[in-house]
Amino acid sequence: ILNVEQSPQSLHVQEGDSTNFTCSFPSSNFYALHWYRWETAKSPEALFVMTLNGDEKKKGRISATLNTKEGYSYLYIKGSQPEDSATYLCAFQAAGNKLTFGGGTRVLVKP
Amino acid sequence: NAGVMQNPRHLVRRRGQEARLRCSPMKGHSHVYWYRQLPEEGLKFMVYLQKENIIDESGMPKERFSAEFPKEGPSILRIQQVVRGDSAAYFCASSQLAGEVQEQYFGPGTRLTVT
C-alpha cells in the first residue's frame, strides 16, 4: 500500500502572506508527482506534473519543488489571495497511470 | 474545448437498486480513470480503462462494481445492488496518451447517495 501524506491538513493564511506545505511519498518506483487545486463543488484542476529530481515548476504565484531521493515535494503560494483558498492535492504516480492521492491541505486565505 | 463531463451530478438510489454513472472524456482523450471519495476520505483509484479495454482494475471492489468504456459513447461505472457504504463522490478523469507522463483532467463528479 502506497503512503502519500500531506501536511498540514489545513492552514489559515492572512491575505498577502506567503505559505508552503508538504507532500511526502515513496522514494522507490517513482514516475511522477502531480499537484491539483480543488475548489469546493468544482473539479480538481491540474497545477503541475513533476518528474525529475530537483524539478521546480511555477504558475503565477504558485510554485512547487520536487525531491525524489527523499520523497517529498513542497508547494508554495506567494502573496496569498482569497481566491487561492482551496484544497491542494498531491498525487504519486508509479509506473502505470493510476494516481495515489494524499489527503490534501485545505488552505483558507483570510482578507 | 469541453472538459470531462459526468452525469448525473447527483444520484439517489435505494438500497438494492442499481446505479449507473457516466463519464465523457475530453475530446481526443482515449484513457479514462475512475476515482472514489468516501466521506471524510481522500480520492482513491478504482479503475483505468482505454477504449474497449480494462487496463487496471486493482481499486475496484470485487463484487457489484463494473466499468466499461465502449468504442462509442461514454464510460460507465455500474454499481449493482447498492448499499449505504457505496454513498460517495465518484470522479472520472481522462488523459490523452499512455506511455508517458500525462495530466489527468477531472470531471465534476457524481455524488451518489444510497438511502
Side-chain angles (χ1 to χ4, degrees):
Chain A
I1 295 176
L2 295 176
N3 211 22
V4 180
E5 302 280 348
Q6 290 188 248
S7 65
Q9 281 190 324
S10 65
L11 61 92
H12 292 187
V13 188
Q14 204 62 40
E15 183 176 356
D17 287 352
S18 296
T19 188
N20 65 83
F21 37 92
T22 312
C23 171
S24 63
F25 52 86
S27 53
S28 57
N29 299 320
F30 177 86
Y31 202 63
L33 194 282
H34 300 244
W35 280 101
Y36 285 85
R37 180 173 178 277
W38 195 4
E39 288 182 76
T40 304
K42 294 188 178 179
S43 313
E45 173 198 350
L47 287 174
F48 307 115
V49 183
M50 310 177 78
T51 56
L52 298 174
N53 185 43
D55 231 356
E56 289 189 32
K57 298 248 176 163
K58 188 175 180 185
K59 185 183 283 190
R61 292 179 292 96
I62 301 177
S63 60
T65 59
L66 180 68
N67 183 323
T68 60
K69 293 185 193 297
E70 295 180 40
Y72 65 83
S73 175
Y74 288 118
L75 192 90
Y76 300 87
I77 305 175
K78 185 178 177 183
S80 303
Q81 298 297 308
E83 59 265 30
D84 296 327
S85 296
T87 296
Y88 291 83
L89 299 172
C90 70
F92 171 83
Q93 182 181 356
N97 286 21
K98 74 179 184 186
L99 301 182
T100 301
F101 282 87
T105 293
R106 188 176 301 173
V107 174
L108 179 62
V109 181
K110 298 179 183 176
Chain B
N1 187 15
V4 178
M5 312 273 282
Q6 289 188 249
N7 68 81
R9 295 289 305 274
H10 300 274
L11 182 61
V12 179
R13 284 288 177 266
R14 289 202 176 99
R15 277 180 298 170
Q17 290 184 318
E18 179 179 286
R20 279 184 179 241
L21 288 61
R22 293 174 191 77
C23 169
S24 298
M26 283 181 72
K27 189 176 179 181
H29 287 193
S30 58
H31 301 262
V32 164
Y33 315 83
W34 285 93
Y35 294 86
R36 177 167 69 170
Q37 184 186 31
L38 291 167
E40 308 302 321
E41 294 189 18
L43 284 168
K44 296 279 196 303
F45 169 81
M46 297 182 77
V47 62
Y48 162 34
L49 309 107
Q50 292 178 29
K51 287 280 186 182
E52 300 185 281
N53 284 307
I54 296 174
I55 306 302
D56 182 353
E57 55 182 347
S58 57
M60 287 279 268
K62 297 293 180 216
E63 295 176 348
R64 304 186 296 107
F65 284 71
S66 62
E68 62 176 9
F69 188 16
K71 190 176 178 182
E72 302 290 337
S75 174
I76 307 283
L77 179 68
R78 183 178 174 214
I79 312 171
Q80 294 179 290
Q81 299 176 313
V82 295
V83 301
R84 288 225 172 99
D86 297 332
S87 295
Y90 293 82
F91 289 88
C92 165
S94 72
S95 68
Q96 193 171 18
L97 297 171
E100 53 184 87
V101 175
Q102 288 282 305
E103 285 179 346
Q104 293 184 17
Y105 294 86
F106 279 77
T110 294
R111 275 149 185 84
L112 172 66
T113 303
V114 179
T115 61

